[in-house]
Amino acid sequence: MMKKHINNPYDYAFGILYTEFPKELHELLNIPGKFKRKSNVKVRLKNGKVLEMDSSYVVDSDFDELYEPAVVNLEHQSTPVDEEKIKIIGNYNIQQIADERLPPFNVIATHIDKEKSLQKYKRTPTNTTELYFIDLGEKNIQQRLNTVSNIVRTNEKHLTIKDALNLGIIVLFAPRDNARNITRKVLDLYMQIKHMPKKLEFTLYSVISAMINAYFDDEKEYDELINMINYETEDEIIDKFETEIRTQNKMKEVEQFANDAIEENKQLKAKIKELEKKLESK
């Protein structure tokens, strides 16, 4: 078995799409509202721990589903939303309201049937965290794949940015029982696209490489696909990707160390209080 070198490839791939093309991602996912600007994604909890939202941005009303500006918390979910996750989303909302003075809008992008997720959580009698689900199930992904395939097949190799970005969405949200087959199709289409802007090429290369890392455990298969995508990608893009992966993995280690230290400090304080009570009783 091959050693994985990307820390949570699903979150990494989604993060690249959001970081590089937030407006286009918002529009491609058909989320209500009109994208305005990015917002803060860092969240500091009461216990001192720091968490990070998948994405956070401000939208204006579209007068269709959204009738006033809001701050969107767009989360990518590769597993059903459970009670722990929806509580965390509620904590994110507190940070967003403090940062933007706007109502929060919680959006979940997932390939999983929303009925398997917890959709609402009552925190207090007057405060409820509710989720808005974007259906990226098998039917939706197949439609996107067919659209991009048809464009490439008719020799329209100069795809729009949105058309090309659909490849990232397709491979990230691919049905897990068919993910390897879809990844190969996406890679084939990527290799046929010519004259991409550098930022777009970096984004698609990063997302597809991350998903190859996520879906292919067999080292021979993995090497085959990585060699294929590397052959069609400039060395500058590959080097940037590898540098970013090393940096992100290191940052994750540092954040984990800091959070572990906070937890140890919390436990130490609890032990000190317990000892003080015992001393007082004596």
Side-chain angles (χ1 to χ4, degrees), residues 137-264:
E138 185 173 359
K139 182 178 179 181
N140 182 285
I141 293 304
Q142 189 60 53
Q143 287 175 342
R144 292 174 187 266
L145 182 59
N146 290 342
T147 298
V148 181
S149 297
N150 288 336
I151 294 173
V152 174
R153 190 179 301 115
T154 55
N155 292 321
E156 295 180 38
K157 296 181 182 180
H158 296 276
L159 280 75
T160 66
I161 287 178
K162 282 188 182 180
D163 289 334
L165 283 176
N166 252 326
L167 291 177
I169 292 173
I170 292 163
V171 72
L172 175 57
F173 292 95
R176 296 303 183 255
D177 60 349
N178 196 28
R180 289 197 291 268
N181 182 44
I182 288 177
T183 301
R184 287 184 176 277
K185 290 180 179 179
V186 167
L187 177 55
D188 180 62
L189 292 170
Y190 168 85
M191 291 165 58
Q192 295 181 57
I193 302 172
K194 306 300 180 184
H195 310 299
M196 278 188 285
K198 294 285 187 184
K199 187 167 79 164
L200 178 59
E201 184 178 4
F202 170 73
T203 300
L204 290 180
Y205 174 84
S206 299
V207 173
I208 296 170
S209 295
M211 291 301 95
I212 292 172
N213 190 247
Y215 300 142
F216 293 86
D217 291 325
D218 181 79
E219 188 171 358
K220 186 177 179 181
E221 256 190 311
Y222 171 84
D223 288 342
E224 173 199 350
L225 296 181
I226 288 296
N227 288 337
M228 287 171 65
I229 193 170
N230 284 354
Y231 184 78
E232 295 293 335
T233 306
E234 292 189 19
D235 290 343
E236 175 188 351
I237 300 291
I238 299 170
D239 291 342
K240 182 180 177 182
F241 169 75
E242 293 293 346
T243 300
E244 185 164 295
I245 291 299
R246 286 193 295 269
T247 302
Q248 288 217 0
N249 286 346
K250 191 65 179 177
M251 287 174 62
K252 290 290 183 184
E253 289 177 11
V254 172
E255 288 177 3
Q256 187 61 51
F257 178 81
N259 286 336
D260 288 346
I262 290 170
E263 185 62 31
E264 288 176 10

Side-chain angles (χ1 to χ4, degrees), residues 112-127:
I112 300 170
D113 184 349
K114 70 178 183 179
E115 298 304 323
K116 296 181 179 180
S117 289
L118 187 61
Q119 301 176 39
K120 184 185 296 187
Y121 182 77
K122 190 173 183 179
R123 296 175 66 90
T124 73
T126 59
N127 181 282

